[in-house]
Amino acid sequence: MTAVRAVRGATTVAEDTPRHIAAATRELVAELLVRNGLEREAVISLLFTCSPDLTSDTPALALREEGWEVPALCAADTAWAGAPARTVRVLAHVTSYGPLAPVYLGDSAPTRPAQSPR
């Protein structure tokens, strides 16, 4: 039986340009599929967030230009003291039989601090 599951990932972007955001997004989603043994057809939807310093483009547009036709939503990540710069995060909803592994590329990290410095 196939289950609907979610898997997270993140990457950092070298510069706030449409070209860099697109390249980082494509690499992140491709690696998420490869590491989890998923086909593109397994992706139901994608929820992206970008750190507040990424304003030149959106990850969903980068995938749309590659021919992706799944629902994709972009949102701004919350700004907080110590937040990582130039970061794109994704929550991918997929159909999958087995366990899923999150993917973190570049300088991104799997978890954020429990609380920001005060």
Side-chain angles (χ1 to χ4, degrees):
M1 181 173 166
T2 302
V4 175
R5 316 271 311 280
V7 60
R8 295 179 348 151
T11 189
T12 50
V13 178
E15 295 177 35
D16 182 23
T17 66
R19 181 174 64 87
H20 284 93
I21 291 171
T25 300
R26 291 175 185 135
E27 178 186 27
L28 173 60
V29 173
E31 189 64 24
L32 198 77
L33 295 178
V34 168
R35 285 196 197 173
N36 288 290
L38 299 170
E39 297 295 324
R40 191 165 162 170
E41 294 75 26
V43 179
I44 298 168
S45 66
L46 299 162
L47 172 60
F48 291 100
T49 64
C50 293
S51 55
D53 54 356
L54 294 177
T55 61
S56 68
D57 204 357
T58 67
L61 181 58
L63 290 184
R64 192 75 64 215
E65 290 171 350
E66 284 283 305
W68 283 75
E69 295 185 11
V70 301
L73 178 67
C74 295
D77 209 352
T78 304
W80 50 276
R86 296 183 318 275
T87 301
V88 172
R89 296 183 185 279
V90 66
L91 178 64
H93 301 94
V94 300
T95 56
S96 172
Y97 295 101
L100 298 172
V103 172
Y104 298 98
L105 304 176
D107 292 330
S108 66
T111 58
R112 299 176 195 182
Q115 67 182 45
S116 59
R118 298 189 198 271

